[in-house]
Amino acid sequence: MATSRRRGPARSQTVLRVLPFAAMAAVAACDLIAGPSLGFLPLLILGPTFACVFGSVRRTAFIGATALALCIPLAAYNGTLLKWQNNLTIATILSVTCASMLASHLRLQRERELANLKLVAEAAQRVLLRPVPRRAGDLRLALSYTSASAEARIGGDLYEVVTTPAGVRLIVGDVQGKGLQAVETAAWVLGAFREAAYDQADLIGVAQRLEATLARHLGAESFVTAILAEVTEDEITLLNCGHPAPILLRSDGHITVIVPPEENLPLGLASLAPATPKPYNCGFGEQDQILFYTDGVIETRDPAGRFYPLTERLGPLGGDDPQQALDALREDLLDHAGGPLADDAAMLFLRRQGY
């Protein structure tokens, strides 16, 4: 399926490249077959009209010139070369060619603007969502991030992994809403986490720092679901703030969804529940693996409306290379969707592999 997705755009480009010439050839053939009684020459404007959809301004002009070159002998064949109908056809082809050249110029200008926006988005991604390290202590890590936005690679999902004196600490979260406001909120959360992860003695302190940051910036009804984790020698400590529970894959093949003992509200809603969220521990030994993800993964639907059954599709995570294994899981997710995702989808995969 991945290969067919890559071939799809190439196939479409080939069709668009050939379409103007095929249209003019079809018009010429129809005109010759029908004979002088029927005139198909005005339809030669299909060539430059289709040309503006793909290719340069010069190519559009060349196809317009080709349409004129076909018009003259065909007009002679029809006996209309010196009649006003042919002059009207030539004027129409010239007018449509000029309009198509303008449309082609505007399209290329727009494409350049979008390319520049893409570069800006990639630069923002490198600053906001930095690549996670492939190794952190005795952990091997892998990341997959798929934005639902067609023109950007960043959105409301967030992640970070830092190595601190207390151990490896990480966050995976999802900002309510979409667009630039969600990206801005993600930047606040990540900035606060990167500082608090080093300064605070435990995950409760980190969560409180995040709450204080969001209280200064977010509105009363805005929030961020997130899960904080700290990996130490033989266990992992989790603090879940309204986020989908991670999945633990034991070395013996047993799969467990690590549901928190108590439900906690998302970050930003502390005023509704004054109680401090409580962390909980789970054994995390040699060759154990854990998958963190955002709700964009489990809420992905196939064309029939069925949600993605994540816990049933974890087979690829048994591969030797964590990143290749996670990439295979992402391809399976995209195959299930059968098209663009409706929401951002982030997955962070940890494997305790030893030094």
Side-chain angles (χ1 to χ4, degrees), residues 274-286:
T276 302
K278 297 179 181 179
Y280 53 102
N281 299 328
C282 181
F284 193 55
E286 185 77 16

Side-chain angles (χ1 to χ4, degrees), residues 138-141 231-236 247-256 258 282-292 317-320 322 348-354:
D138 63 344
L139 300 174
R140 295 187 67 186
L141 299 91
V231 183
T232 52
E233 289 186 0
D234 58 355
E235 66 180 10
I236 183 169
I247 301 174
L248 179 66
L249 297 86
R250 294 291 186 189
S251 57
D252 60 3
H254 186 68
I255 297 175
T256 304
I258 315 176
C282 181
F284 193 55
E286 185 77 16
Q287 295 302 317
D288 284 348
Q289 306 175 107
I290 187 168
L291 177 67
F292 298 90
L317 295 184
D320 294 333
L348 182 62
F349 182 48
L350 278 65
R351 176 184 296 170
R352 172 154 267 165
Q353 197 150 328

Side-chain angles (χ1 to χ4, degrees), residues 36-338:
S37 59
L38 293 175
F40 288 87
L41 297 189
L43 293 179
L44 288 173
I45 62 170
L46 292 175
T49 301
F50 291 146
C52 70
V53 178
F54 180 85
S56 64
V57 176
R58 183 178 298 179
R59 182 174 184 273
T60 303
F62 171 75
I63 292 174
T66 303
L68 287 173
L70 284 172
C71 178
I72 293 173
L74 289 173
Y77 170 75
N78 292 334
T80 60
L81 181 59
L82 301 178
K83 294 184 179 180
W84 68 270
Q85 295 97 325
N86 188 54
N87 294 333
L88 182 60
T89 300
I90 291 175
T92 302
I93 293 174
L94 286 172
S95 300
V96 171
T97 299
C98 292
S100 298
M101 291 170 64
L102 177 60
S104 180
H105 170 73
L106 295 175
R107 175 183 56 79
L108 292 172
Q109 187 178 47
R110 176 61 174 165
E111 288 178 355
R112 285 192 292 269
E113 291 174 355
L114 290 178
N116 290 335
L117 289 175
K118 183 178 178 181
L119 292 176
V120 172
E122 290 174 352
Q125 182 187 40
R126 288 192 293 270
V127 174
L128 178 60
L129 298 177
R130 300 179 301 196
V132 300
R134 298 298 296 271
R135 278 187 174 272
D138 63 344
L139 300 174
R140 295 187 67 186
L141 299 91
L143 173 74
S144 169
Y145 187 95
T146 306
S147 174
S149 175
E151 303 300 343
R153 298 187 180 185
I154 55 177
D157 288 1
L158 57 95
Y159 56 83
E160 183 61 289
V161 179
V162 295
T163 302
T164 72
V168 176
R169 288 178 173 175
L170 62 90
I171 182 173
V172 175
D174 186 3
V175 179
Q176 175 211 24
K178 298 181 183 296
L180 293 177
Q181 181 61 49
V183 175
E184 186 178 12
T185 302
W188 290 329
V189 173
L190 289 173
F193 174 78
R194 287 163 184 162
E195 291 185 1
Y198 289 99
D199 298 342
Q200 299 299 316
D202 53 30
L203 292 182
I204 294 179
V206 176
Q208 290 174 339
R209 180 79 70 84
L210 297 180
E211 282 286 2
T213 298
L214 291 175
R216 292 194 299 268
H217 297 288
L218 288 187
E221 298 181 356
S222 299
F223 59 86
V224 179
T225 68
I227 185 165
L228 306 174
E230 178 181 287
V231 183
T232 52
E233 289 186 0
D234 58 355
E235 66 180 10
I236 183 169
T237 303
L238 302 169
L239 195 155
N240 195 323
C241 301
H243 198 75
I247 301 174
L248 179 66
L249 297 86
R250 294 291 186 189
S251 57
D252 60 3
H254 186 68
I255 297 175
T256 304
V257 179
I258 315 176
V259 180
E262 297 180 12
E263 292 292 334
N264 297 314
L265 290 176
L267 297 171
L269 300 179
S271 60
L272 302 179
T276 302
K278 297 179 181 179
Y280 53 102
N281 299 328
C282 181
F284 193 55
E286 185 77 16
Q287 295 302 317
D288 284 348
Q289 306 175 107
I290 187 168
L291 177 67
F292 298 90
Y293 53 92
T294 58
D295 59 6
V297 176
I298 55 176
E299 292 179 359
T300 295
R301 298 174 182 261
D302 65 8
R306 294 184 293 264
F307 289 109
Y308 183 66
L310 179 59
T311 55
E312 301 172 13
R313 309 292 274 272
L314 298 177
L317 295 184
D320 294 333
D321 186 316
Q323 188 60 59
Q324 291 182 359
L326 190 60
D327 289 344
L329 183 63
R330 176 181 179 273
E331 289 297 329
D332 185 64
L333 175 68
L334 295 175
D335 290 343
H336 178 85

